[in-house]
Amino acid sequence: MKIAVLSGKGGTGKTLVSVNLAAVAKTSTYIDCDVEEPNGHLFFKPKDIIEEEISVKIPKVDGNLCSGCRRCVEFCKFNALAYIKEKLIVFEDICHSCGGCILLCPEKALTEKEKVIGRVQKGTSEQVTVYTGILNPGEPSGIPIIKKLLDENEHERSKTIFIDCPPGSACIVMESIKDADYCILVAEPTLFGVHNLNMVYELVKLFNKPFGVVLNKCLDGENPSEKFCIEKGIRILGRIPFDNELGSLNSNAEIAVRKSEKYRTIFSSLLEDVKKEVHHETTSDS
C-alpha cells in the first residue's frame, strides 16, 4: 500500500503527518520526495546509511563535427544551447536531459555524457526504512531522483509505504503521486489554506486518485478549510490541534508518536481510517 501525503505549500504539515504515520505503522517505508528541501531524516535520524549518486545524460559537443546548422538551438525549448562566434555552447545548468538535440543533429556532433544531479540515501530508524532524495543546488529538475526513489520500492508489498511529496502541484508532485494507492491532503485552517488545498485537490482529481483531508493546526472557531471540504463533499480523515506540546516536539525534531501517548492515539486512529479508505477503494474497483 502506497500512501502519498501532499499539500499546496511548504509548512502545512505534510512531513509531520507522513513521518508520524510511518512511525506509528512500525514496519513501514518512508520516502522523502521533497528533494529540494528534504527534512524527514532530521526526525528519523536513520542509521546504517547507504548513499548512491544519481546522474542524468546531457549533450557533449564535438566542435570538429558541428557545422553550425543551429537545428539543436532552435529545437531546445529551455534555451540550453546557443551558437555564438562559430561555437556551439551547452548551458548544463538548464538542460533538462531530453536528448532531443542529439537525435536531431545531422552531423552527429552531439553525444551524451553523465552529470551528477544529486543522491539517494537509505537508512533505518527502528522498524522504518527511510529513503531520502537530495537534489544538488541549481539543478532544474528533481524528477530523476524521485523516479529512483520510487523505483526502489516499486514491487514492495510487505510494508506500507509513505511518500512525503514536494509542496505544491508541479511536475515533481505529479511524479510522486502517480503510483500512489491513496492521497492524504494536509490543510491549514485559513483562507490561504483553502487556496493551497484547492491546488492539490484539483491535482488528485485529475489523476483520479482516492483521497481524504487532514486538517492541521486546528483552533476553536471557524475553519475555512473544513468548510471547503464540506462544500465539496471531501472526506475529512482527521484533525490535528494547534498545540504547544506538538509544536515543541516538532521544533526539536522529535517524532510525536514516539514521545506522546496522546499523539500515538491520534495518528494510530488516522492510519486505521486511511487503511479502511484504501480497502474500500480497492474493493470498489474490483
Side-chain angles (χ1 to χ4, degrees):
M1 180 169 61
K2 296 178 181 177
I3 299 169
V5 184
L6 57 161
S7 61
K9 72 171 185 64
T12 302
K14 60 183 179 55
T15 297
L16 167 74
V17 171
S18 52
V19 162
N20 281 279
L21 284 177
V24 84
K26 295 186 178 177
T27 306
S28 64
T29 297
Y30 168 85
I31 305 176
D32 197 342
C33 287
D34 189 1
V35 297
E36 293 180 10
E37 294 185 275
N39 61 346
H41 66 284
L42 299 176
F43 294 88
F44 280 114
K45 305 170 184 63
K47 298 176 181 178
D48 305 318
I49 292 174
I50 302 169
E51 187 169 287
E52 179 184 351
E53 288 187 334
I54 306 299
S55 300
V56 295
K57 297 183 185 298
I58 62 170
K60 178 183 177 182
V61 183
D62 185 336
N64 295 321
L65 294 178
C66 180
S67 64
C69 70
R70 295 179 173 82
R71 286 190 188 178
C72 57
V73 176
E74 292 167 2
F75 169 81
C76 185
K77 301 302 181 186
F78 300 101
N79 299 312
L81 294 155
Y83 193 77
I84 302 170
K85 293 186 177 181
E86 309 301 316
K87 184 179 180 182
L88 182 62
I89 299 171
V90 179
F91 300 107
E92 296 184 1
D93 289 342
I94 56 175
C95 173
H96 280 55
S97 306
C98 72
C101 58
I102 295 167
L103 293 172
L104 277 177
C105 182
E107 308 298 336
K108 307 301 179 188
L110 292 170
T111 54
E112 290 181 328
K113 68 175 183 178
E114 296 282 338
K115 179 191 176 187
V116 175
I117 63 164
R119 59 196 189 277
V120 166
Q121 295 178 341
K122 177 186 177 182
T124 56
S125 174
E126 295 186 8
Q127 293 171 279
V128 182
T129 304
V130 180
Y131 286 86
T132 304
I134 304 167
L135 181 69
N136 290 343
E139 293 299 333
S141 174
I143 287 179
I145 297 176
I146 292 172
K147 283 183 176 179
K148 177 65 176 178
L149 287 167
L150 299 178
D151 287 348
E152 287 280 315
N153 294 276
E154 184 178 2
H155 302 295
E156 177 60 69
R157 293 291 180 265
S158 61
K159 297 180 181 179
T160 303
I161 298 171
F162 297 90
I163 303 167
D164 189 352
C165 297
S169 56
C171 298
I172 50 175
V173 183
M174 298 179 195
E175 188 68 35
S176 300
I177 71 169
K178 69 178 186 180
D179 294 322
D181 298 304
Y182 193 82
C183 292
I184 298 174
L185 317 184
V186 184
E188 292 177 320
T190 65
L191 291 173
F192 290 113
V194 173
H195 170 77
N196 297 319
L197 173 58
N198 188 54
M199 289 168 57
V200 286
Y201 166 67
E202 293 291 343
L203 178 65
V204 294
K205 280 201 339 182
L206 182 67
F207 275 70
N208 197 30
K209 295 289 183 183
F211 67 95
V213 170
V214 170
L215 300 172
N216 191 24
K217 307 176 187 176
C218 292
L219 295 162
D220 293 335
E222 186 179 1
N223 187 327
S225 292
E226 183 175 18
K227 183 179 178 183
F228 175 85
C229 292
I230 293 169
E231 289 174 352
K232 297 288 185 180
I234 301 171
R235 171 96 156 88
I236 297 174
L237 298 167
R239 295 167 176 81
I240 301 172
F242 188 78
D243 180 65
N244 283 337
E245 179 191 1
L246 182 59
S248 178
L249 288 169
N250 217 40
S251 62
N252 286 297
E254 299 284 1
I255 299 175
V257 300
R258 292 180 179 174
K259 297 291 182 179
S260 166
E261 184 62 37
K262 170 184 172 182
Y263 283 100
R264 191 179 301 116
T265 301
I266 288 174
F267 283 99
S268 294
S269 175
L270 174 58
L271 180 60
E272 288 306 309
D273 284 348
V274 171
K275 286 181 177 179
K276 288 175 185 176
E277 286 288 302
V278 174
H279 178 71
H280 172 72
E281 293 293 335
T282 305
T283 307
S284 299
D285 290 341
S286 59

